[in-house]
mmCIF file of all heavy atoms in Angstrom:
data_model
loop_
_atom_site.group_PDB
_atom_site.id
_atom_site.type_symbol
_atom_site.label_atom_id
_atom_site.label_comp_id
_atom_site.label_asym_id
_atom_site.label_seq_id
_atom_site.Cartn_x
_atom_site.Cartn_y
_atom_site.Cartn_z
ATOM 1 N N ARG A 384 -5.006 -1.467 -10.354
ATOM 2 C CA ARG A 384 -5.595 -0.369 -11.121
ATOM 3 C C ARG A 384 -6.502 -0.914 -12.231
ATOM 4 O O ARG A 384 -7.627 -0.468 -12.420
ATOM 5 C CB ARG A 384 -4.502 0.487 -11.748
ATOM 6 C CG ARG A 384 -5.049 1.633 -12.600
ATOM 7 C CD ARG A 384 -4.076 2.068 -13.700
ATOM 8 N NE ARG A 384 -2.704 2.108 -13.270
ATOM 9 C CZ ARG A 384 -2.162 3.081 -12.558
ATOM 10 N NH1 ARG A 384 -2.899 4.113 -12.181
ATOM 11 N NH2 ARG A 384 -0.902 3.027 -12.208
ATOM 12 N N ASN A 385 -5.994 -1.904 -12.992
ATOM 13 C CA ASN A 385 -6.776 -2.445 -14.099
ATOM 14 C C ASN A 385 -8.064 -3.100 -13.605
ATOM 15 O O ASN A 385 -9.120 -2.964 -14.241
ATOM 16 C CB ASN A 385 -5.941 -3.464 -14.878
ATOM 17 C CG ASN A 385 -4.846 -2.814 -15.710
ATOM 18 O OD1 ASN A 385 -4.883 -1.613 -15.978
ATOM 19 N ND2 ASN A 385 -3.863 -3.595 -16.111
ATOM 20 N N LEU A 386 -7.984 -3.815 -12.495
ATOM 21 C CA LEU A 386 -9.187 -4.467 -11.962
ATOM 22 C C LEU A 386 -10.210 -3.433 -11.520
ATOM 23 O O LEU A 386 -11.408 -3.569 -11.804
ATOM 24 C CB LEU A 386 -8.817 -5.381 -10.793
ATOM 25 C CG LEU A 386 -10.002 -6.129 -10.160
ATOM 26 C CD1 LEU A 386 -10.652 -7.073 -11.170
ATOM 27 C CD2 LEU A 386 -9.560 -6.891 -8.919
ATOM 28 N N VAL A 387 -9.768 -2.393 -10.826
ATOM 29 C CA VAL A 387 -10.686 -1.344 -10.376
ATOM 30 C C VAL A 387 -11.342 -0.661 -11.569
ATOM 31 O O VAL A 387 -12.551 -0.369 -11.553
ATOM 32 C CB VAL A 387 -9.958 -0.326 -9.478
ATOM 33 C CG1 VAL A 387 -10.830 0.892 -9.212
ATOM 34 C CG2 VAL A 387 -9.552 -0.982 -8.164
ATOM 35 N N GLU A 388 -10.567 -0.409 -12.624
ATOM 36 C CA GLU A 388 -11.146 0.228 -13.801
ATOM 37 C C GLU A 388 -12.178 -0.677 -14.470
ATOM 38 O O GLU A 388 -13.202 -0.198 -14.975
ATOM 39 C CB GLU A 388 -10.036 0.606 -14.785
ATOM 40 C CG GLU A 388 -9.189 1.771 -14.289
ATOM 41 C CD GLU A 388 -8.136 2.211 -15.296
ATOM 42 O OE1 GLU A 388 -7.975 1.517 -16.328
ATOM 43 O OE2 GLU A 388 -7.473 3.226 -15.042
ATOM 44 N N ALA A 389 -11.940 -1.992 -14.467
ATOM 45 C CA ALA A 389 -12.917 -2.923 -15.042
ATOM 46 C C ALA A 389 -14.204 -2.917 -14.229
ATOM 47 O O ALA A 389 -15.313 -2.935 -14.785
ATOM 48 C CB ALA A 389 -12.322 -4.333 -15.102
ATOM 49 N N VAL A 390 -14.082 -2.902 -12.909
ATOM 50 C CA VAL A 390 -15.266 -2.866 -12.047
ATOM 51 C C VAL A 390 -16.006 -1.541 -12.221
ATOM 52 O O VAL A 390 -17.241 -1.506 -12.284
ATOM 53 C CB VAL A 390 -14.868 -3.086 -10.575
ATOM 54 C CG1 VAL A 390 -16.059 -2.853 -9.643
ATOM 55 C CG2 VAL A 390 -14.323 -4.502 -10.385
ATOM 56 N N ALA A 391 -15.249 -0.438 -12.300
ATOM 57 C CA ALA A 391 -15.875 0.874 -12.482
ATOM 58 C C ALA A 391 -16.679 0.913 -13.780
ATOM 59 O O ALA A 391 -17.798 1.451 -13.826
ATOM 60 C CB ALA A 391 -14.812 1.970 -12.478
ATOM 61 N N GLU A 392 -16.131 0.326 -14.836
ATOM 62 C CA GLU A 392 -16.859 0.289 -16.114
ATOM 63 C C GLU A 392 -18.100 -0.587 -15.994
ATOM 64 O O GLU A 392 -19.170 -0.252 -16.505
ATOM 65 C CB GLU A 392 -15.943 -0.236 -17.214
ATOM 66 C CG GLU A 392 -16.589 -0.250 -18.588
ATOM 67 C CD GLU A 392 -15.643 -0.708 -19.683
ATOM 68 O OE1 GLU A 392 -14.468 -1.000 -19.376
ATOM 69 O OE2 GLU A 392 -16.086 -0.779 -20.845
ATOM 70 N N ASP A 393 -17.966 -1.711 -15.301
ATOM 71 C CA ASP A 393 -19.101 -2.623 -15.127
ATOM 72 C C ASP A 393 -20.211 -1.971 -14.310
ATOM 73 O O ASP A 393 -21.397 -2.106 -14.627
ATOM 74 C CB ASP A 393 -18.608 -3.902 -14.437
ATOM 75 C CG ASP A 393 -19.712 -4.926 -14.254
ATOM 76 O OD1 ASP A 393 -20.570 -5.046 -15.146
ATOM 77 O OD2 ASP A 393 -19.721 -5.612 -13.214
ATOM 78 N N TRP A 394 -19.841 -1.246 -13.258
ATOM 79 C CA TRP A 394 -20.828 -0.600 -12.393
ATOM 80 C C TRP A 394 -21.322 0.729 -12.955
ATOM 81 O O TRP A 394 -22.335 1.253 -12.501
ATOM 82 C CB TRP A 394 -20.233 -0.357 -11.014
ATOM 83 C CG TRP A 394 -19.981 -1.587 -10.208
ATOM 84 C CD1 TRP A 394 -20.122 -2.888 -10.602
ATOM 85 C CD2 TRP A 394 -19.524 -1.639 -8.855
ATOM 86 N NE1 TRP A 394 -19.779 -3.738 -9.590
ATOM 87 C CE2 TRP A 394 -19.403 -3.001 -8.501
ATOM 88 C CE3 TRP A 394 -19.186 -0.677 -7.912
ATOM 89 C CZ2 TRP A 394 -18.983 -3.412 -7.235
ATOM 90 C CZ3 TRP A 394 -18.757 -1.078 -6.664
ATOM 91 C CH2 TRP A 394 -18.659 -2.428 -6.328
ATOM 92 N N GLY A 395 -20.587 1.279 -13.916
ATOM 93 C CA GLY A 395 -20.976 2.569 -14.473
ATOM 94 C C GLY A 395 -20.770 3.727 -13.523
ATOM 95 O O GLY A 395 -21.555 4.680 -13.505
ATOM 96 N N THR A 396 -19.678 3.673 -12.750
ATOM 97 C CA THR A 396 -19.403 4.756 -11.802
ATOM 98 C C THR A 396 -17.898 4.935 -11.666
ATOM 99 O O THR A 396 -17.122 4.002 -11.923
ATOM 100 C CB THR A 396 -20.021 4.441 -10.419
ATOM 101 O OG1 THR A 396 -19.898 5.578 -9.564
ATOM 102 C CG2 THR A 396 -19.324 3.274 -9.745
ATOM 103 N N LEU A 397 -17.475 6.125 -11.279
ATOM 104 C CA LEU A 397 -16.059 6.412 -11.104
ATOM 105 C C LEU A 397 -15.575 5.825 -9.785
ATOM 106 O O LEU A 397 -16.147 6.091 -8.727
ATOM 107 C CB LEU A 397 -15.818 7.930 -11.116
ATOM 108 C CG LEU A 397 -14.364 8.392 -10.967
ATOM 109 C CD1 LEU A 397 -13.523 7.909 -12.146
ATOM 110 C CD2 LEU A 397 -14.296 9.913 -10.858
ATOM 111 N N LEU A 398 -14.537 5.004 -9.855
ATOM 112 C CA LEU A 398 -13.932 4.394 -8.674
ATOM 113 C C LEU A 398 -12.424 4.542 -8.781
ATOM 114 O O LEU A 398 -11.871 4.662 -9.876
ATOM 115 C CB LEU A 398 -14.291 2.903 -8.581
ATOM 116 C CG LEU A 398 -15.768 2.548 -8.433
ATOM 117 C CD1 LEU A 398 -15.990 1.058 -8.687
ATOM 118 C CD2 LEU A 398 -16.276 2.923 -7.046
ATOM 119 N N THR A 399 -11.761 4.506 -7.643
ATOM 120 C CA THR A 399 -10.308 4.582 -7.663
ATOM 121 C C THR A 399 -9.728 3.622 -6.641
ATOM 122 O O THR A 399 -10.450 2.876 -5.974
ATOM 123 C CB THR A 399 -9.839 6.033 -7.413
ATOM 124 O OG1 THR A 399 -8.433 6.122 -7.666
ATOM 125 C CG2 THR A 399 -10.127 6.471 -5.984
ATOM 126 N N TRP A 400 -8.425 3.649 -6.498
ATOM 127 C CA TRP A 400 -7.697 2.777 -5.585
ATOM 128 C C TRP A 400 -6.568 3.601 -4.993
ATOM 129 O O TRP A 400 -6.285 4.718 -5.434
ATOM 130 C CB TRP A 400 -7.122 1.567 -6.338
ATOM 131 C CG TRP A 400 -6.153 1.982 -7.397
ATOM 132 C CD1 TRP A 400 -6.452 2.515 -8.618
ATOM 133 C CD2 TRP A 400 -4.728 1.982 -7.314
ATOM 134 N NE1 TRP A 400 -5.300 2.832 -9.298
ATOM 135 C CE2 TRP A 400 -4.236 2.511 -8.534
ATOM 136 C CE3 TRP A 400 -3.826 1.565 -6.342
ATOM 137 C CZ2 TRP A 400 -2.879 2.636 -8.788
ATOM 138 C CZ3 TRP A 400 -2.472 1.688 -6.594
ATOM 139 C CH2 TRP A 400 -2.006 2.213 -7.806
ATOM 140 N N GLN A 401 -5.931 3.078 -3.968
ATOM 141 C CA GLN A 401 -4.803 3.796 -3.384
ATOM 142 C C GLN A 401 -3.903 2.803 -2.664
ATOM 143 O O GLN A 401 -4.325 1.706 -2.285
ATOM 144 C CB GLN A 401 -5.282 4.876 -2.411
ATOM 145 C CG GLN A 401 -6.065 4.345 -1.235
ATOM 146 C CD GLN A 401 -6.699 5.443 -0.394
ATOM 147 O OE1 GLN A 401 -6.766 6.597 -0.790
ATOM 148 N NE2 GLN A 401 -7.187 5.091 0.786
ATOM 149 N N SER A 402 -2.662 3.190 -2.492
ATOM 150 C CA SER A 402 -1.701 2.379 -1.746
ATOM 151 C C SER A 402 -1.603 2.911 -0.325
ATOM 152 O O SER A 402 -1.430 4.121 -0.129
ATOM 153 C CB SER A 402 -0.328 2.436 -2.421
ATOM 154 O OG SER A 402 -0.389 1.927 -3.735
ATOM 155 N N VAL A 403 -1.718 2.029 0.641
ATOM 156 C CA VAL A 403 -1.595 2.425 2.047
ATOM 157 C C VAL A 403 -0.771 1.383 2.779
ATOM 158 O O VAL A 403 -0.748 0.209 2.405
ATOM 159 C CB VAL A 403 -2.975 2.570 2.738
ATOM 160 C CG1 VAL A 403 -3.782 3.695 2.119
ATOM 161 C CG2 VAL A 403 -3.761 1.274 2.687
ATOM 162 N N ASN A 404 -0.112 1.822 3.829
ATOM 163 C CA ASN A 404 0.687 0.931 4.659
ATOM 164 C C ASN A 404 -0.032 0.749 5.989
ATOM 165 O O ASN A 404 -0.160 1.700 6.759
ATOM 166 C CB ASN A 404 2.079 1.526 4.888
ATOM 167 C CG ASN A 404 3.025 0.532 5.536
ATOM 168 O OD1 ASN A 404 2.621 -0.300 6.341
ATOM 169 N ND2 ASN A 404 4.302 0.618 5.187
ATOM 170 N N PRO A 405 -0.532 -0.460 6.284
ATOM 171 C CA PRO A 405 -1.292 -0.653 7.528
ATOM 172 C C PRO A 405 -0.471 -0.445 8.793
ATOM 173 O O PRO A 405 -1.038 -0.233 9.868
ATOM 174 C CB PRO A 405 -1.790 -2.102 7.425
ATOM 175 C CG PRO A 405 -0.898 -2.748 6.423
ATOM 176 C CD PRO A 405 -0.466 -1.679 5.476
ATOM 177 N N ASP A 406 0.857 -0.476 8.669
ATOM 178 C CA ASP A 406 1.688 -0.208 9.852
ATOM 179 C C ASP A 406 1.584 1.247 10.286
ATOM 180 O O ASP A 406 1.792 1.566 11.458
ATOM 181 C CB ASP A 406 3.150 -0.546 9.558
ATOM 182 C CG ASP A 406 3.454 -2.018 9.747
ATOM 183 O OD1 ASP A 406 2.884 -2.621 10.672
ATOM 184 O OD2 ASP A 406 4.235 -2.571 8.957
ATOM 185 N N PHE A 407 1.281 2.144 9.334
ATOM 186 C CA PHE A 407 1.271 3.570 9.641
ATOM 187 C C PHE A 407 -0.090 4.224 9.423
ATOM 188 O O PHE A 407 -0.242 5.420 9.652
ATOM 189 C CB PHE A 407 2.328 4.294 8.801
ATOM 190 C CG PHE A 407 3.711 3.729 8.957
ATOM 191 C CD1 PHE A 407 4.282 2.966 7.956
ATOM 192 C CD2 PHE A 407 4.423 3.928 10.124
ATOM 193 C CE1 PHE A 407 5.546 2.429 8.096
ATOM 194 C CE2 PHE A 407 5.693 3.399 10.283
ATOM 195 C CZ PHE A 407 6.261 2.645 9.272
ATOM 196 N N SER A 408 -1.067 3.481 8.943
ATOM 197 C CA SER A 408 -2.406 4.025 8.709
ATOM 198 C C SER A 408 -3.344 3.591 9.820
ATOM 199 O O SER A 408 -3.270 2.458 10.307
ATOM 200 C CB SER A 408 -2.955 3.533 7.362
ATOM 201 O OG SER A 408 -2.189 4.009 6.292
ATOM 202 N N SER A 409 -4.223 4.485 10.207
ATOM 203 C CA SER A 409 -5.214 4.144 11.219
ATOM 204 C C SER A 409 -6.272 3.233 10.619
ATOM 205 O O SER A 409 -6.430 3.140 9.398
ATOM 206 C CB SER A 409 -5.877 5.417 11.752
ATOM 207 O OG SER A 409 -6.641 6.041 10.723
ATOM 208 N N VAL A 410 -7.023 2.568 11.488
ATOM 209 C CA VAL A 410 -8.135 1.730 11.030
ATOM 210 C C VAL A 410 -9.158 2.603 10.316
ATOM 211 O O VAL A 410 -9.737 2.208 9.300
ATOM 212 C CB VAL A 410 -8.771 0.984 12.214
ATOM 213 C CG1 VAL A 410 -9.991 0.176 11.757
ATOM 214 C CG2 VAL A 410 -7.748 0.060 12.864
#
């Protein structure tokens, strides 16, 4: 979360992140 927020501030745009499990998520 902290890294994404740092990148979002650097790029000047709203960005987010999410938790996913590749065993149950499609490509």
Side-chain angles (χ1 to χ4, degrees):
R384 178 206 319 281
N385 288 342
L386 181 63
V387 170
E388 289 184 353
V390 172
E392 183 177 359
D393 182 37
W394 291 6
T396 188
L397 181 63
L398 298 167
T399 190
W400 61 284
Q401 61 188 13
S402 299
V403 296
N404 190 327
D406 276 324
F407 305 106
S408 296
S409 66
V410 176

